[in-house]
Amino acid sequence: MANVRIAQIGQVRANRPIYEIALNGRKFAAIVNYANQVEFAGPAVIRSLGISSIYADTLERSLNTEIVSALGFTGSQTFYDSRFPYQQIGTGLAFVTDFLPYLGWKSLNPASFVNRVI
């Protein structure tokens, strides 16, 4: 069992959310891909979406065995299911209200965080 904090940062386009996944002091980013799988995204991918390097550089560059085990990643993907909270925010690239793309989270415990024991 692992205590994983999963938060939606925003979306690439409608029905393709971007997530921050926090586990034991490490932060990872993931995006829902066209195959409806949650796929690991490194800092370079996150920067390419217009999120500042101040935030992107706090993210891990690769998956480790702990996060692979906690979320059941196969390679760099896992199933997109109820473990991942979803907030509809229209169409196109957009961010949730408590995440600032040039800075990161407005507060330490924003409303869009969901804690899960997996």
Side-chain angles (χ1 to χ4, degrees):
M1 291 272 209
N3 189 11
V4 181
R5 187 176 65 178
I6 301 171
Q8 184 179 351
I9 294 170
Q11 67 184 22
V12 178
R13 49 181 60 111
N15 302 318
R16 290 199 50 218
I18 311 164
Y19 292 100
E20 177 192 87
I21 304 165
L23 175 64
N24 294 333
R26 293 180 177 206
K27 293 189 300 185
F28 303 84
I31 296 175
V32 176
N33 65 23
Y34 288 112
N36 210 32
Q37 297 279 314
V38 177
E39 182 176 317
F40 171 75
V45 172
I46 297 304
R47 281 192 296 271
S48 75
L49 297 173
I51 298 175
S52 78
S53 56
I54 294 170
Y55 173 79
D57 289 344
T58 67
L59 302 168
E60 296 292 319
R61 287 176 164 42
S62 60
L63 295 171
N64 62 22
T65 55
E66 191 175 32
I67 194 74
V68 167
S69 175
L71 289 180
F73 274 92
T74 301
S76 63
Q77 298 181 358
T78 190
F79 292 107
Y80 181 44
D81 55 25
S82 64
R83 296 172 294 172
F84 298 90
Y86 176 67
Q87 182 180 7
Q88 179 108 22
I89 43 181
T91 61
L93 178 64
F95 300 98
V96 296
T97 55
D98 52 357
F99 182 82
L100 303 171
Y102 55 88
L103 190 62
W105 295 107
K106 291 182 187 177
S107 66
L108 293 177
N109 294 298
S112 49
F113 273 130
V114 171
N115 287 305
R116 304 255 184 209
V117 177
I118 298 174

